[in-house]
Amino acid sequence: METIGKTSGSRVVFSNKNGDYIRLHKPHPRNILKLYQIDDLIQNLKEKGLL
């Protein structure tokens, strides 16, 4: 996981060795993902053929 910069707010980038990446917002104020965020993540992984 890599943060984009001090002024990037709550965005983070997850990437793998193949150069695939997913950019997400960190959940806040608590570290709990909401159902729509999980659905978006699953859809994104399916579109990239990673799931």
Side-chain angles (χ1 to χ4, degrees), residues 16-30:
N16 65 14
K17 294 178 183 178
N18 296 331
D20 297 309
Y21 68 91
I22 297 173
R23 191 171 284 136
L24 301 170
H25 285 279
K26 286 183 187 177
H28 54 81
R30 293 183 273 174

Side-chain angles (χ1 to χ4, degrees), residues 18-44:
N18 296 331
D20 297 309
Y21 68 91
I22 297 173
R23 191 171 284 136
L24 301 170
H25 285 279
K26 286 183 187 177
H28 54 81
R30 293 183 273 174
N31 289 332
I32 298 172
L33 290 172
K34 298 190 182 214
L35 185 56
Y36 78 89
Q37 293 170 310
I38 295 169
D39 290 340
D40 287 346
L41 178 59
I42 291 169
Q43 181 63 32
N44 196 310

